[in-house]
Amino acid sequence: MPEFSQDTLGNVANVRFSKTVTSVLLDTKEQTWEMVQVKQESELPSPQKYRVLFMDSAEQKYTEIPPRVLHLEDLEELHLEKNQIKTLPKEICHLHNIKVLYLNDNNITHICDELGELKNLCSLDLSSNPLTCNSLDAISKVHQLRKLRLYNVNMEVFPVQICKTLHHLHLLGLSHNNLKSLPSEIVNLIHLKEIYLQDNKFELFPTQICALQSLEVVDFEKNKLTSLPVEIGSLASLVKLFVNYNKLSFIPNKNFQCTKLAVLDVSGNRLHKLPHALNELKELSELGLSNNELRTFPSRVCALQSLSVLYLKNTGLSILPAAFAKLELIKILDLSQNYFTAFPDVICELKQLQVLSLDDNLINTITPEVKSLNKLTYLGITGNRFAAFPKEVFLLESLEKLYIGQDQGMRLATLPDDICILKNLKELYIENNNLECLPTTLSLMQNLVVLDLHNNLLKNLPDSICQIQGLQQLLLQNNQLSNLPGNLDMLHKLDLLLLEGNPMQDPGSEVCSLGKSVVWEYLKEKRHRNLMATKIQALWRGLMVRKGLGPFASLLQIGKKGSKTKKDKKAKNKGKKCGVKGKKK
């Protein structure tokens, strides 16, 4: 289907059209209507019918739903999120064909009963509205609803009536509320596949949802759970379980009877060990164990050979077992904020590894065997104890992002010329070091998009930096810079330039504080002035040469005048003597 945006049709709301109709566009600023005919490869039927199937009127500062929108009877999807709408009018029932309705992030307090007349409505989002508890019952009349999102509506009790009537619900979003429990009637939602209860006040896991055999996603992140019930093991369809950032000190073995589980996040709890039955999760591909008190690596994780993502941040680890090499499919590995003193050699066996974070450890060396990680695109080694830039990094030619800032740990004094070997590097973060200068070879890194050098000791920038044509972000705050390269404005793709905290003189701090565009104008003007001064000087020299008044002309003239005067004096004296006698005769 063709799509028209504000870029192509002025101030018209985004609308997606059906293939065989002419559509009406609502100008969201002028409140006028335009007719736009949509031509397809095949001829349109005649007479044509004017229809709008999709409308996006988000972020238009509406205080009410525009009346003309309510007369678009063919409308199937309507976006009115992030406005200032206060009420739902009774006329909303005219949208007979509406299937998807986004009203989140408004000021709606009451939901009218006429909403229940929308028999085709499948997806409704009322999140981030100051809804009153009584008005929620109106939602229970929308019997065909499949997806209901009520995030952040200050809900303390979930309406029982919704559980009794919305039997077709597939998704229920209740995150960021004040819920402590769920009604027992929730067992009626037998088709429910996803339930989101993040950031509520649950202290006990509601065992009622364990009866919902269709559940595939259960999210209890950021609650106050102290335990998980054994009944959760009966959720045979469960694919994703999020119980991170609770108060769990152990996990019962029977929880791992969910053989289809692919994603498990128990980060941010009080776990010291993992249950023996963990290795039964043959389908597990993502495992989050960060911010627990493991101290030693749980060896049974090595049996999870389907793992592709493993988070072990801040778990007290200092070594990895040799069996870790069995995790051959690992692509993302987070070992940051631990106690490793050297790069773990066993990591070099993970040939599929793409993302590796070893930030904030005690590492002072990197093994040359790291070159075997030929798919690694992201490496984080900030906050370690490297005495100098680890040149083994240059063996990682596929690297696209390198983080080697030293907000804690030993600071680096130089950036080697060999940095240009990393020709695929797109982002280099080397902040919080003691760099005083940069290598001119940076100009060879033509794929570089982000260069973060803030909090160093840089006194100047090499002119070669102006040749990194793809650079979009240059972060230079809190250095010792007093001037900028004269051609820095040749970086046409640069969007972000930060210079705060430098003793800038050329351009001055007052110019730099006005943003990149002003700095660019300053550099262009300075270059123009220098060019004009050079031209004037050249013209002046040419003029002096043409008039015989070159740089040595005055000395030559003085010399000529001096020698002529001396001869003239002799001739004159001789002539005087002869001439006087002659005249007398």
Side-chain angles (χ1 to χ4, degrees), residues 146-187:
R146 299 293 196 277
K147 297 180 180 180
L148 174 60
R149 294 178 176 90
L150 294 170
Y151 302 125
N152 190 31
V153 294
N154 201 30
M155 185 190 306
E156 295 185 356
V157 178
F158 186 65
V160 173
Q161 196 60 31
I162 289 179
C163 298
K164 290 181 177 180
T165 58
L166 300 187
H167 299 155
H168 299 288
L169 269 185
H170 288 180
L171 182 150
L172 179 57
L174 301 173
S175 297
H176 310 294
N177 282 293
N178 297 310
L179 296 172
K180 295 181 179 179
S181 62
L182 294 175
S184 57
E185 288 81 359
I186 200 166
V187 296

Side-chain angles (χ1 to χ4, degrees), residues 49 51 53 72-77 93-100 118-121:
K49 181 183 178 183
R51 303 172 64 202
L53 305 180
L72 300 175
E73 296 185 359
D74 295 309
L75 199 61
E76 294 182 359
E77 184 166 341
C93 63
H94 295 161
L95 300 177
H96 302 297
N97 289 311
I98 197 76
K99 295 179 180 178
V100 179
L118 303 179
K119 302 302 181 184
N120 292 306
L121 188 60

Side-chain angles (χ1 to χ4, degrees), residues 93-117:
C93 63
H94 295 161
L95 300 177
H96 302 297
N97 289 311
I98 197 76
K99 295 179 180 178
V100 179
L101 180 57
Y102 286 87
L103 290 163
N104 49 299
D105 295 278
N106 278 283
N107 296 320
I108 301 170
T109 57
H110 180 71
I111 302 171
C112 59
D113 290 337
E114 284 72 14
L115 185 72
E117 298 180 28

